[in-house]
Amino acid sequence: MMTNTTPSAKALVPFVSVDHMMKLVHHIGIEEMLRGIADYIETDFKRWELFDKTPRVASHSDTGVIELMPTSDGDVYGFKYVNGHPSNTADGLQTVTAFGLLADVATGYPVLLSEMTLLTALRTAATSALVARVLAPKGSRVMAMIGNGTQSEFQSLAMKTIAGIDEVRLYDIDPAATAKCAANLAGQGLKVVSCTSAQDAMLGAQIITTCTADKQYATILTDNMVGAGVHINAIGGDCPGKTELAPAILHRSEIFVEYPEQTRIEGEIQQVAADHPVTEFWKVLTGQAKGRRDDQQITLFDSVGFAIEDFSALRYVRDQIAGTGLFHPLDLLADPDDPRDLFGMLQRAKA
Ligand code: NAD
C-alpha cells in the first residue's frame, strides 16, 4: 500500500515572498533589475502577435477595483491579481497590491507564484522608461514627476537608467509624499528638485510623468501647461472614470497605447471618440509604426498596465531565482502517488 503523503519535487511550486523579492532586488541591484525587466518586456512586445490577449477582468466597487490579468505565449501561461484602492493610504494600506503566477501550458501545472506589489512597481517603471527611451525627445534630461506616491521612486530610477534623465522635479498635493520621495532618491545619482506646483515641476522638463491616484476624472495637467515637443507618461489614469489629463491635450498629442481594447475602457482615451487614432507601442518596436516624427510633436503614452508586462516580469524573476535560494518551495498542488487516488491520499493523511 502506498502511504507517501509528502509532495514530490515536481509538485512543489517556487514561491517568491515579499522578503525574497526585496532580497532579489538587492542581490541583482535595482537599476540592473529595471533594465533586465525592460529587456524582457521589449522581447515579449516584439512577439506580441503570438500572445493570447484580453482586456483585464475588473470587479469594481465604491472604494476601488480588483482585477485579473491573464495572458499566454502558448508555452507559458501567466496571470496577475491586482487591486487599486485610492483611499487605502488613509488607512495605512497601499493603493495597489498584487501577486501573480506562471504555469506550464503543456501540463497546466504552476511553475512560479510570486508577490507582485514590488514587481508591479518595477515592471510599470520599466515599461514607462522603455517607451520614453523610444518616444521622448532625443537627449531628454529632465522629468517632472507629478504624484510622489508608491510608484514615483521606481519611475524616477527607471527613467534615469533606461531613458537617460539626470534630473527629476517632484510635485504632489501632499508635501509629505514629495519629502518622502526626495529623501528616498537622495544619493541615487539624480538631481532632485521638490516643487510646490505641477507648473513648477514641469519647468524645463522633456518628460512629464503623471502618477496620481483618484477614482474620478481628475485634471492633473491642463492644456495650457503642456508645451510642444514633450513626452507625457500618463500612468495614473487606469480605470473607467479615472483619468488625469485635460481632453484638449489628447487632441494635440500622438497617442501610444499598450492594448487598445483595454486602454479604450481604462485609459485617458476614454475621453475621446471610440475611433480616435492611437498607435500600439509594440508596432513601433517592430518597425511597423512610426514613433516620434519631429521635435515639436507631443507624444503621449496612455499607460494602463497590460498583462504581457506582468508575464515578462514574472519570466524575468523565474530566470533570476534559479540557484539563489530566494524562494520557498510551496506545497500548493496535491500530489497523490496514484494520480487518480486523491481520496486515498486524504484518508492516509488522517493516520
Ligand atoms: P499612491 O496612492 O501611493 O500615490 C499617489 C499619489 O498621488 C499620492 O501621493 C497623492 O497625494 C498624489 N496625488 C493625488 N492627487 C494629486 C494631484 N491632483 N496632484 C498631485 N498629486 C496628487 O499610488 P501609486 O501606487 O503611486 O499609484 C498611482 C496611480 O498609478 C494609481 O492610480 C495606480 O492605479 C496607477 N498605476 C498604474 C500602473 C500602470 O501600469 N499604468 C501601475 C501601477 C499603478
Side-chain angles (χ1 to χ4, degrees):
M1 193 177 84
M2 288 179 283
T3 54
N4 180 21
T5 54
T6 309
S8 64
K10 70 177 188 309
L12 290 172
V13 180
F15 167 59
V16 181
S17 64
V18 174
D19 185 49
H20 277 144
M21 186 62 79
M22 293 195 289
K23 290 191 167 107
L24 186 68
V25 174
H26 292 306
H27 171 71
I28 295 170
I30 187 163
E31 293 192 30
E32 176 62 28
M33 188 152 172
L34 286 163
R35 284 194 297 270
I37 294 172
D39 286 347
Y40 273 53
I41 293 170
E42 184 170 3
T43 301
D44 286 342
F45 274 22
K46 284 180 174 166
R47 52 189 196 117
W48 184 270
E49 283 163 294
L50 63 79
F51 279 89
D52 258 357
K53 293 176 287 293
T54 178
R56 61 184 152 200
V57 183
S59 176
H60 294 277
S61 67
D62 290 346
T63 51
V65 64
I66 294 177
E67 298 165 323
L68 290 178
M69 303 172 70
T71 191
S72 168
D73 69 358
D75 293 324
V76 179
Y77 171 92
F79 78 82
K80 178 168 86 172
Y81 166 103
V82 62
N83 77 301
H85 285 70
S87 57
N88 268 5
T89 48
D91 298 326
L93 301 173
Q94 292 199 97
T95 299
V96 176
T97 62
F99 68 89
L101 179 142
L102 288 181
D104 177 20
V105 168
T107 61
Y109 268 41
V111 295
L112 178 73
L113 180 66
S114 178
E115 86 78 39
M116 289 194 77
T117 306
L118 281 160
L119 198 56
T120 293
L122 291 162
R123 77 76 155 128
T124 304
T127 305
S128 289
L130 168 66
V131 173
R133 191 186 75 203
V134 174
L135 296 180
K138 287 274 156 293
S140 293
R141 307 295 293 271
V142 182
M143 175 171 82
M145 181 75 233
I146 299 171
N148 302 152
T150 305
Q151 313 300 323
S152 59
E153 297 91 346
F154 297 89
Q155 288 284 323
S156 302
L157 281 181
M159 287 292 184
K160 171 189 159 225
T161 192
I162 296 166
I165 66 155
D166 55 24
E167 178 176 333
V168 62
R169 300 176 63 82
L170 307 177
Y171 171 67
D172 195 292
I173 40 167
D174 179 359
T178 302
K180 174 240 24 167
C181 184
N184 283 337
L185 288 175
Q188 301 273 3
L190 277 169
K191 179 178 173 199
V192 180
V193 182
S194 299
C195 303
T196 50
S197 68
Q199 284 92 328
D200 183 16
M202 287 163 66
L203 279 179
Q206 297 89 22
I207 300 175
I208 300 159
T209 293
T210 54
C211 187
T212 63
D214 207 342
K215 205 174 189 299
Q216 61 174 1
Y217 291 104
T219 308
I220 308 302
L221 300 187
T222 55
D223 189 29
N224 63 342
M225 289 162 75
V226 178
V230 295
H231 174 69
I232 305 172
N233 173 43
I235 62 175
D238 60 355
C239 247
K242 179 174 164 222
T243 57
E244 295 182 304
L245 308 182
I249 299 171
L250 306 185
H251 292 285
R252 290 167 58 211
S253 306
E254 184 78 33
I255 302 172
F256 298 82
V257 300
E258 292 140 316
Y259 182 56
E261 289 83 342
Q262 183 179 311
T263 314
R264 295 225 185 254
I265 299 168
E266 301 178 352
E268 295 300 324
I269 55 173
Q270 293 171 64
Q271 305 184 89
V272 293
D275 59 353
H276 190 91
V278 297
T279 303
E280 293 178 58
F281 179 68
W282 69 271
K283 289 188 177 170
V284 181
L285 287 178
T286 58
Q288 293 169 65
K290 248 190 138 23
R292 170 171 288 276
R293 275 196 315 273
D294 58 58
D295 58 10
Q296 289 302 299
Q297 189 184 32
I298 300 169
T299 49
L300 163 60
F301 177 38
D302 185 2
S303 160
V304 291
F306 188 57
I308 294 176
E309 295 148 26
D310 300 307
F311 178 93
S312 311
L314 286 168
R315 241 174 22 80
Y316 175 83
V317 167
R318 187 186 180 198
D319 288 349
Q320 298 303 315
I321 58 171
T324 63
L326 293 175
F327 60 89
H328 298 287
L330 204 63
D331 181 14
L332 184 70
L333 308 172
D335 186 35
D337 295 332
D338 172 352
R340 287 169 301 183
D341 193 17
L342 186 65
F343 192 83
M345 183 185 83
L346 174 66
Q347 293 286 88
R348 289 189 293 278
K350 204 173 171 185

